[in-house]
Structures are given as structure tokens and as C-alpha cells.
Amino acid sequence: MALLNEDRTPSGCEADMMGVVTSLTLQHASGNSVFNTDLVDVNVEDDTVVFWHCGQAPIDMADRDQPVQGTIHSNRKLPLLSEFALKPGRITMARFSQGYGKLRLILAGGEMVRAPLAFSGTAGTAKLDTPVKDFMEKMIAEGLEHHTALTYGDHRPVLRALAKRLGIEVVELT
């Protein structure tokens, strides 16, 4: 999947078609590679979150000041998995959500910060544009699915315009 994502053919785990559609949309909006992630850690004390998935991020998202390697999947014990921390920079998070039985576009922004790899695979630590406690409360209240698409840069204006044109409600988490 990392190789597909590197070739700008968005892919995602666990048959998450809405995640892949979101990734494709975010890729076209940004012109950048996209990573379909799980939010796996929330640290209220340092106000950060960790986005992760099992090695499917494209290599151009790697922090080249830290190790970048191929390895074995930590759960399945099979090759080949890309393992690296995400590079620092401005990020946009998006998800076409079907929570509460209606199609909505969920958006958030933040800053990926330089941090050691938090979990095996590909992961990045981010400071969001709102306190993580508020972010989590909104995310849970909105019934957001567990996958979100990430890319570098702030592309929310383009995504808002697309949602307006399609008549899709936008939910801002940050």
C-alpha cells in the first residue's frame, strides 16, 4: 500500500472505501501524497495526538532526519512494511464521514512536529489547531470513523468549497 500511495494511487486498510475516497479527494485538492491513518494516541498533558498506520505512508512524508527502513509487520509477522516517523510541517486532516447516517466532510488542521517514531509502522505526532481535549470531544460527538486522511499543507479552503458545491455539510474539528 505504501508503494501505491507513493505512486499517487490512494489505498487504505480494512476495506475502508470512504477513507480511500477521502484520500483521493485530498490528494487532488492538495497535489500531495496522502496517508490514510488511525488516531492512536491522545496526550492531554503535552496537547498532542499520534496518527499511525501499519506502514502505508508514502516515503515522501518521512522525516529524513530519523531512521527510514523496511521491516516486518508487527502483528502479522510478514514483510514488507515501511517504518518511519512523519516529517514536521503543516497538515490537513479530512474524512468523508457517514456518521449519524448522513454524508459529511470532517476537517481539521494542525502541525506535525518532530518526534521519535511512536509505534511500529508509520506514525506522526501532531499539535492540532485546538486543544486535544476539545478535538476529542468534538470527534466523539460527531461519530467520526477511525480512519482519517492526512496530507501536508492547509487545504481546508479547497475542501470547504468542494463540499459546498456538492451540498455536503462540513464539520470543523479544529
Side-chain angles (χ1 to χ4, degrees):
M1 280 189 270
L3 294 175
L4 286 170
N5 286 328
E6 285 176 33
D7 287 341
R8 304 278 170 97
T9 303
S11 65
C13 293
E14 301 150 14
D16 179 9
M17 289 309 300
M18 291 304 285
V20 172
V21 168
T22 304
S23 292
L24 183 61
T25 303
L26 189 55
Q27 177 180 290
H28 282 286
S30 69
N32 297 328
S33 298
V34 177
F35 176 31
N36 198 24
T37 70
D38 282 336
L39 176 67
V40 294
D41 188 53
V42 176
N43 187 328
V44 177
E45 291 175 11
D46 71 0
D47 204 34
T48 62
V49 297
V50 174
F51 294 103
W52 164 91
H53 224 294
C54 55
Q56 63 182 350
I59 197 82
D60 65 348
M61 290 184 164
D63 182 349
R64 299 304 178 111
D65 291 336
Q66 297 189 54
V68 177
Q69 63 184 8
T71 188
I72 303 299
H73 192 287
S74 57
N75 296 334
R76 293 177 182 85
K77 308 298 183 204
L78 297 169
L80 178 63
L81 182 84
S82 295
E83 187 168 77
F84 54 81
L86 299 177
K87 66 185 176 186
R90 185 81 192 147
I91 57 167
T92 297
M93 182 196 92
R95 170 73 191 196
F96 283 114
S97 173
Q98 295 175 304
Y100 299 122
K102 61 182 177 178
L103 184 62
R104 299 172 302 153
L105 177 59
I106 311 292
L107 294 175
E111 192 78 23
M112 196 65 67
V113 298
R114 180 160 283 123
L117 183 62
F119 299 95
S120 66
T122 45
T125 301
K127 289 188 94 46
L128 301 174
D129 292 344
T130 193
V132 295
K133 185 177 182 292
D134 297 342
F135 172 82
M136 288 302 297
E137 288 172 2
K138 287 180 189 176
M139 189 180 89
I140 291 167
E142 294 299 336
L144 180 62
E145 297 87 346
H146 72 289
H147 287 152
T148 57
L150 287 181
T151 195
Y152 284 89
D154 187 355
H155 307 286
R156 291 175 292 174
V158 171
L159 296 169
R160 287 181 195 114
L162 174 66
K164 182 177 182 180
R165 184 172 184 122
L166 295 174
I168 298 171
E169 175 187 356
V170 174
V171 177
E172 304 274 356
L173 296 181
T174 60

